[in-house]
Amino acid sequence: MLLADDEHLIRGAMTALLSLENDLTVVAEAAAGPEALAMALAHRPDVAVLDLQMPGADGVSVAESLRAQLPECVILIVTSHGLPGHLKRALSVGVRGFVPKTVSAQRLAEIIRTVHAGSRYVDPGLAADAIAAGDSPLIAREAEILDMAADGAPVLEIAERAGLSQGTVRNYLSSAAIKLGADNRHAAVYIARERGWL
């Protein structure tokens, strides 16, 4: 299997603990999204255990690339940021497992075996949160424009990056804020991120 996590201590601990299992072998490790993809393509693991938040590309983006380039590799996301939108996005790109980092090493080994055998495993608490949160009310373009506004970029800059007029950008931002019940775009970004929709 491949283990990818940007926190060296966590990755090292997972490697050490999972290596104690007779039937599990860590063939590669990575600290960033692009490195995880490169290592997976080089080592062709049966299972890729990916952190959700990694530099360069998040775990779901890496999973999407892996599904296209190495479809036989089963993907499991391990995260400390289990927001409902992240779970839904992960499942939509073919991730077979989604678990919090609070899971024990023994339980993680069992889950790895479960997904490798062809089943899915989603942490029950994360699944319940995802069901309770519902689907994002934002259309794709609203989410994209709202994400561009997340770093405080002015409307003119967003318009140039998106190839839209300033008025159209304002309309998307306003529509997103209304749908999310936010007073302004900054509050809308906060709400959408808290629910994992960005």
Side-chain angles (χ1 to χ4, degrees):
M1 83 188 89
L2 161 73
L3 292 180
D5 194 306
D6 63 325
E7 296 179 50
H8 299 289
L9 182 62
I10 290 174
R11 190 177 70 249
M14 280 197 313
T15 299
L17 292 169
L18 291 173
S19 294
L20 296 175
E21 301 289 329
N22 293 332
D23 58 338
L24 301 179
T25 304
V26 177
V27 296
E29 296 180 38
E35 181 187 9
L37 181 58
M39 295 300 273
L41 294 175
H43 295 277
R44 306 186 76 76
D46 296 323
V47 179
V49 180
L50 308 174
D51 185 18
L52 179 63
Q53 302 291 333
M54 292 186 289
D58 69 8
V60 177
S61 298
V62 173
E64 190 169 17
S65 296
L66 277 175
R67 293 298 300 148
Q69 298 177 54
L70 194 64
E72 65 274 16
C73 181
V74 177
I75 302 155
L76 171 68
I77 299 279
V78 181
T79 182
S80 55
H81 308 285
L83 299 175
H86 295 149
L87 170 58
K88 289 179 180 180
R89 193 172 142 237
L91 294 176
S92 75
V93 301
V95 168
R96 304 293 298 172
F98 199 90
V99 298
K101 285 187 177 178
T102 54
V103 71
S104 71
Q106 181 182 3
R107 184 67 183 124
L108 180 59
E110 292 168 4
I111 294 166
I112 289 168
R113 292 181 189 104
T114 297
V115 298
H116 182 254
S119 297
R120 285 184 188 256
Y121 181 85
V122 176
D123 177 77
L126 296 177
D129 290 346
I131 292 166
D135 293 327
S136 172
L138 304 175
I139 62 170
R141 196 63 159 159
E142 289 167 341
E144 177 187 356
I145 299 300
L146 195 58
D147 193 42
M148 287 183 190
D151 61 0
V155 170
L156 175 61
E157 180 183 325
I158 297 168
E160 289 172 354
R161 285 172 37 203
L164 300 170
S165 71
Q166 291 182 59
T168 301
V169 168
R170 283 191 191 94
N171 288 342
Y172 278 127
L173 291 172
S174 176
S175 176
I178 290 167
K179 286 180 179 180
L180 296 175
D183 293 332
N184 54 51
R185 67 180 172 153
H186 306 293
V189 166
Y190 177 79
I191 291 167
R193 282 195 168 160
E194 279 294 301
R195 296 181 183 164
W197 294 334
L198 285 186

